[in-house]
Amino acid sequence: MPVPRLTDARRDLRRTQIIEAAVRCFSRRGLDQTSIADITAESGLSAGSIYAHYRNKADLLQAVARAVLDRHAATLSAYAAESPPPNPDELLARLVTTIDPAYARVGVQTWGAATTDPALREIVTGMVARLRDLLLTCVAAWLSRVGNGDPAEAGPIVERLMVAYQAQLLRAALQDAEPSAPDRGKPDPP
């Protein structure tokens, strides 16, 4: 009896399920300590199912990076299409509210690993360049629509936005996802 093929929609759903499980595992255990077996257990799928979609952990990490960037692309494209688009301060505030701490932890780990892994460095530099381009489109649209701005001035504004956003990602990554029960409600130490 032939094995039924997955539809494109079902395949996309399965990939999303695997990516989300990988993010949870990478966030909790770290990139190096997470195994495909961990992701298999977290996703509830078989190892064969995961390998049917991703060749190895590195391939899966690339898919996670693309998924994060695709979310940013959709968000920024929607912002650029608004009339008028959000100003840079509002744009940064909106982006910060969309930060998922688990994805931030995986992102920061990926940045660190990229300093010694050429394949990850390529992914990270590509992601940063694409995010910069998306922000540039959004800021240039804002500058051209507010009537008093030159879209050519978008570059320096985007560089400041990138630094501020990456700092917020790092901040989110370093925050505990769930403080232990005894620490809840206690003020931060001075």
Side-chain angles (χ1 to χ4, degrees), residues 1-186:
M1 177 183 280
V3 175
R5 292 213 173 268
L6 289 175
T7 64
D8 287 343
R10 186 84 171 134
R11 185 175 293 112
D12 290 344
L13 181 64
R14 186 69 44 92
R15 286 181 178 148
T16 299
Q17 181 181 3
I18 295 166
I19 287 171
E20 289 173 356
V23 167
R24 289 189 302 272
C25 290
F26 291 148
S27 177
R28 276 193 314 264
R29 296 181 49 99
L31 299 179
D32 290 338
Q33 290 76 30
T34 297
S35 67
I36 291 294
D38 296 325
I39 297 166
T40 299
E42 183 75 24
S43 69
L45 300 172
S46 69
S49 181
I50 291 175
Y51 285 116
H53 297 284
Y54 303 102
R55 292 182 312 252
N56 52 36
K57 191 167 77 169
D59 191 34
L60 180 53
L61 185 56
Q62 290 176 15
V64 168
R66 282 190 300 273
V68 170
L69 192 55
D70 288 345
R71 285 187 353 196
H72 287 314
T75 300
L76 290 170
S77 294
Y79 292 163
E82 289 180 12
S83 185
N87 67 48
D89 290 334
E90 175 66 18
L91 179 59
L92 179 61
R94 289 183 186 185
L95 287 173
V96 168
T97 63
T98 67
I99 293 174
D100 179 322
Y103 277 88
R105 282 190 287 281
V106 173
V108 170
Q109 291 174 59
T110 305
W111 294 345
T115 63
T116 57
D117 182 328
L120 282 178
R121 184 177 312 120
E122 187 176 331
I123 293 167
V124 169
T125 56
M127 283 183 63
V128 169
R130 186 163 174 221
L131 181 58
R132 182 177 288 113
D133 289 345
L134 292 166
L135 285 169
L136 191 61
T137 298
C138 197
V139 171
W142 173 74
L143 285 169
S144 68
R145 291 187 189 147
V146 295
N148 58 0
D150 178 2
E153 296 172 10
I157 295 169
V158 167
E159 289 307 311
R160 290 191 299 273
L161 283 173
M162 288 290 294
V163 168
Y165 182 65
Q166 288 172 331
Q168 291 297 323
L169 285 171
L170 179 58
R171 181 175 183 223
L174 293 174
Q175 291 177 342
D176 287 335
E178 294 195 28
S180 60
D183 294 337
R184 290 178 202 244
K186 289 185 180 179

